[in-house]
């Protein structure tokens, strides 16, 4: 093992452990089995920074940058690499990459990064014209660790119709969180 690999493994031991478990316990091209193993690991072995099974249901109904190589390996193993592309970078550089690939607007955004950047990043997407009218913006971890300025903004902005979903922090049975689902009504209402 190289020194770089050892350093990465020390920084993200849970992620490496779950990747190895996924590779041992599941067959390639079975996304549901991969998700099931990740959830079982996080519930029973070690907490992960992950959307989790409960919040995943909210995300599914509405429709990472820390370890992109691991994410790519997980995506490859799940057999969905032909559908999923990992773009690493800031929001501005990521939208530039998308534009270079012909994507001028998006109709769905999932915010699950640094919570204090949620509002700023949403406003960037709005001001750059990157959101289509009717776009859905889902934000995780709005209550814990918390994005109070974002929460107040989408709740009070005429540009959004927002629903809050009270849920639990991923892989917790007691700690509450909120996931918001906001529909972008119109740039003129902003």
């Amino acid at each position: 093992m190289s020194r770089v690999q050892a350093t990465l493994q020390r920084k993200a031991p849970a992620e490496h452990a779950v990747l190895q478990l996924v590779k041992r316990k599941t067959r390639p091209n079975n996304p549901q089995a991969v998700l099931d193993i990740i959830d079982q690991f996080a519930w029973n072995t070690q907490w992960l920074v992950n959307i989790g099974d409960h919040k995943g249901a909210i995300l599914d109904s509405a429709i990472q940058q820390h370890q992109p190589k691991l994410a790519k390996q997980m995506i490859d193993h799940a057999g969905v690499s032909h559908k999923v592309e990992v773009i690493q970078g800031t929001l501005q550089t990521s939208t530039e990459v998308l534009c270079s690939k012909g994507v001028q607007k998006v109709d769905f955004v999932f915010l699950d990064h640094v919570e204090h950047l949620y509002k700023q990043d949403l406003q960037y997407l709005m001001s750059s014209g990157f959101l289509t009218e009717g776009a859905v913006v889902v934000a995780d971890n709005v209550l814990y660790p918390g994005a109070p300025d974002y929460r107040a903004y989408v709740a009070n902005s005429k540009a959004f119709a927002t629903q809050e979903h009270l849920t639990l922090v991923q892989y917790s049975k007691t700690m509450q969180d909120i996931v918001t689902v906001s529909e972008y009504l119109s740039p003129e209402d902003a």
Side-chain angles (χ1 to χ4, degrees):
M1 178 181 302
S2 75
R3 201 167 64 190
V4 172
Q5 287 173 318
T7 301
L8 285 174
Q9 199 159 17
R10 278 195 313 277
K11 288 185 177 181
E15 289 83 357
H16 285 277
V18 76
L19 175 62
Q20 293 308 311
L21 187 64
V22 162
K23 287 182 174 181
R24 265 195 334 270
K25 298 274 186 176
T26 67
R27 292 185 175 163
N29 304 315
N30 188 341
Q32 188 59 54
V34 170
L35 292 173
D36 291 345
I37 292 296
I38 292 169
D39 289 334
Q40 288 171 15
F41 179 90
W43 277 112
N44 301 320
T45 306
Q46 185 174 349
W47 186 86
L48 292 170
V49 175
N50 188 19
I51 185 85
D53 47 357
H54 294 294
K55 290 181 181 179
I58 294 170
L59 178 60
D60 288 342
S61 71
I63 144 122
Q64 252 179 39
Q65 173 173 340
H66 297 290
Q67 294 290 333
K69 289 181 183 176
L70 293 176
K72 288 177 184 176
Q73 289 179 40
M74 194 72 74
I75 290 163
D76 289 344
H77 187 80
V80 293
S81 58
H82 63 289
K83 296 180 180 181
V84 177
E85 180 179 352
V86 175
I87 299 173
Q88 184 179 358
T90 65
L91 178 64
Q92 290 78 9
T93 60
S94 297
T95 54
E96 289 170 9
V97 169
L98 288 170
C99 286
S100 74
K101 295 174 178 281
V103 176
Q104 300 302 314
K105 292 185 177 281
V106 295
D107 59 9
F108 184 86
V109 175
F110 179 52
L111 299 174
D112 188 21
H113 56 299
V114 181
E115 290 79 11
H116 75 270
L117 296 177
Y118 284 12
K119 178 182 174 188
Q120 166 188 318
D121 287 350
L122 179 64
Q123 289 174 324
Y124 172 80
L125 291 171
M126 293 166 63
S127 67
S128 66
F130 213 67
L131 291 179
T132 62
E133 189 171 326
V136 175
V137 180
V138 177
D140 190 16
N141 305 318
V142 175
L143 184 61
Y144 181 83
D149 58 337
Y150 173 85
R151 183 181 182 192
Y153 180 76
V154 295
N156 298 311
S157 172
K158 293 180 180 179
F160 291 94
T162 299
Q163 293 180 337
E164 291 190 351
H165 298 271
L166 186 62
T167 185
L168 297 173
V169 170
Q170 54 270 27
Y171 308 113
S172 168
K173 294 180 180 178
T174 58
M175 190 178 299
Q176 291 190 330
D177 196 5
I178 291 175
V179 173
T180 58
V181 178
S182 305
E183 181 183 354
Y184 186 49
L185 302 175
S186 166
E188 291 81 37
D189 296 329

